[in-house]
Amino acid sequence: MKTYIVGNWKMNFSVGESSLYLHKLLLKIRAARGLEVVVAPSLVSLQSLSLQTDRRKIKLAAQNFFYRDFGAYTGEVSVSQLRSLVDYAIVGHSERRYIFKETDKDVRNKVAAALRNGITPILCVGETESERTFGETADVIRDMVLGGLSEVSAEDVKKVILAYEPVWAISGSGRNVKPASPLDVKDVFSLIRETLKETYGKETAEETPLLFGGSVSPDNAGGYLSLSDCNGLLIGGASLIAPKFIDIIEEAKRLKSEK
Ligand code: 13P
């Protein structure tokens, strides 16, 4: 299975800054077998970056889209309009669920829309701090995984990438958060694989890529990537700083060659 290193730039960088940053990354990154480097820039930068990038080195992802393919939806962009620009699309990120009030229905419709358009959805799931405190983590994760996949046919489930991003470990808006320990992540990864196995069978459970995200840095990336169930990382803040993002990619390459 491939290792995915995905940088979520969130609402950062102008079109010009995105282009300069991509240029810098393309100069530094060498394509490596089994390693997929993906960046998710702002929507306004996708068109120009799609012409600029070398897809063998860096592929693009959308951070968001609407699930209808076309129609009277002022201000929205459909995944079918993104088809030639991106290979991946992030769905159900906690910032969209909690700040923009995306519902479970939105999330499952988006996962289905991405697959229908040949784009790989990166479905994010993760519990909040209070859900963890009240011992609800397993139920929340199970509901989010099965809910997000409920419009997907059993044979297509392994085309979805799942990203476990505990909300309490995401370091957005300058909050000081405590990163998750690899042990915390290991438990939830096992739970996700078990849930997939019970519902879709062993093969799907083993072949569905699982990523981790939340305060990933060059210092802790190796700890997560070394987990046997971990197929990659979804990185926010550290993906905005070239030396950090590149260090994480190098670590992934190193561990991949050891596996
Ligand atoms: P940070 O790496 O900044 O905590 O963000 C994680 C994230 O939300 C990636 O999608």
Side-chain angles (χ1 to χ4, degrees), residues 8 10 93 95 165 169-172 213-216 234-238:
N8 177 5
K10 306 192 178 180
H93 192 283
E95 285 151 18
E165 293 210 314
I170 295 177
S171 56
S215 300
V216 172
L234 180 51
I235 307 153

Side-chain angles (χ1 to χ4, degrees), residues 42-75:
S42 153
L43 187 64
V44 288
S45 301
L46 278 177
Q47 169 79 34
S48 56
L49 297 200
S50 76
L51 299 172
Q52 182 188 345
T53 198
D54 173 349
R55 286 188 185 200
R56 288 166 304 181
K57 292 185 183 178
I58 301 181
K59 293 197 172 66
L60 297 177
Q63 295 178 20
N64 185 37
F65 59 86
F66 186 48
Y67 55 78
R68 301 262 185 232
D69 284 346
F70 53 84
Y73 302 103
T74 301

Side-chain angles (χ1 to χ4, degrees), residues 141-163:
I141 299 294
R142 233 182 259 121
D143 283 355
M144 283 180 152
V145 169
L146 296 180
L149 295 173
S150 58
E151 294 292 319
V152 178
S153 67
E155 61 270 24
D156 276 354
V157 166
K158 54 178 182 283
K159 296 185 189 160
V160 178
I161 296 177
L162 291 175

Side-chain angles (χ1 to χ4, degrees), residues 1-255:
M1 173 133 36
K2 282 183 188 165
T3 298
Y4 299 84
I5 300 295
V6 185
N8 177 5
W9 294 357
K10 306 192 178 180
M11 199 175 69
N12 293 292
F13 297 151
S14 66
V15 176
E17 286 164 348
S18 300
S19 172
L20 279 175
Y21 187 55
L22 182 69
H23 178 71
K24 202 187 274 184
L25 293 178
L26 287 168
L27 286 178
K28 297 268 163 76
I29 292 172
R30 278 210 257 117
R33 196 187 313 184
L35 186 73
E36 187 89 326
V37 178
V38 181
V39 297
S42 153
L43 187 64
V44 288
S45 301
L46 278 177
Q47 169 79 34
S48 56
L49 297 200
S50 76
L51 299 172
Q52 182 188 345
T53 198
D54 173 349
R55 286 188 185 200
R56 288 166 304 181
K57 292 185 183 178
I58 301 181
K59 293 197 172 66
L60 297 177
Q63 295 178 20
N64 185 37
F65 59 86
F66 186 48
Y67 55 78
R68 301 262 185 232
D69 284 346
F70 53 84
Y73 302 103
T74 301
E76 292 297 321
V77 170
S78 72
V79 73
S80 68
Q81 292 173 313
L82 295 169
R83 278 176 88 139
S84 57
L85 309 183
V86 302
D87 290 288
Y88 297 89
I90 298 172
V91 178
H93 192 283
S94 58
E95 285 151 18
R96 298 228 48 93
R97 291 181 197 256
Y98 299 113
I99 304 173
F100 299 101
K101 312 289 180 233
E102 271 188 16
T103 63
D104 294 342
K105 178 171 166 266
D106 294 325
V107 172
R108 62 176 185 261
N109 284 336
K110 286 181 178 200
V111 170
L115 287 174
R116 183 170 72 235
N117 283 283
I119 289 170
T120 302
I122 302 174
L123 169 61
C124 302
V125 300
E127 79 286 8
T128 62
E129 188 160 22
S130 69
E131 287 163 346
R132 173 158 280 253
T133 310
F134 288 111
E136 295 166 359
T137 301
D139 285 344
V140 170
I141 299 294
R142 233 182 259 121
D143 283 355
M144 283 180 152
V145 169
L146 296 180
L149 295 173
S150 58
E151 294 292 319
V152 178
S153 67
E155 61 270 24
D156 276 354
V157 166
K158 54 178 182 283
K159 296 185 189 160
V160 178
I161 296 177
L162 291 175
Y164 171 49
E165 293 210 314
V167 181
W168 49 270
I170 295 177
S171 56
S173 344
R175 275 185 311 133
N176 237 342
V177 301
K178 192 171 141 279
S181 73
L183 216 60
D184 294 330
V185 179
K186 184 172 184 275
D187 288 346
V188 176
F189 276 177
S190 308
L191 174 84
I192 296 175
R193 292 253 189 247
E194 201 46 47
T195 303
L196 292 173
K197 190 172 156 197
E198 281 164 11
T199 318
Y200 304 104
K202 190 164 175 281
E203 192 193 309
T204 296
E206 284 170 0
E207 290 180 10
T208 304
L210 293 190
L211 315 189
F212 173 72
S215 300
V216 172
S217 70
D219 297 334
N220 63 21
Y224 303 125
L225 285 168
S226 304
L227 296 171
S228 60
D229 275 326
C230 185
N231 308 114
L233 300 168
L234 180 51
I235 307 153
S239 76
L240 301 173
I241 300 161
K244 289 193 179 179
F245 192 53
I246 290 162
D247 272 3
I248 296 171
I249 293 167
E250 289 305 319
E251 179 73 352
K253 257 189 223 170
R254 199 179 60 73
L255 290 168

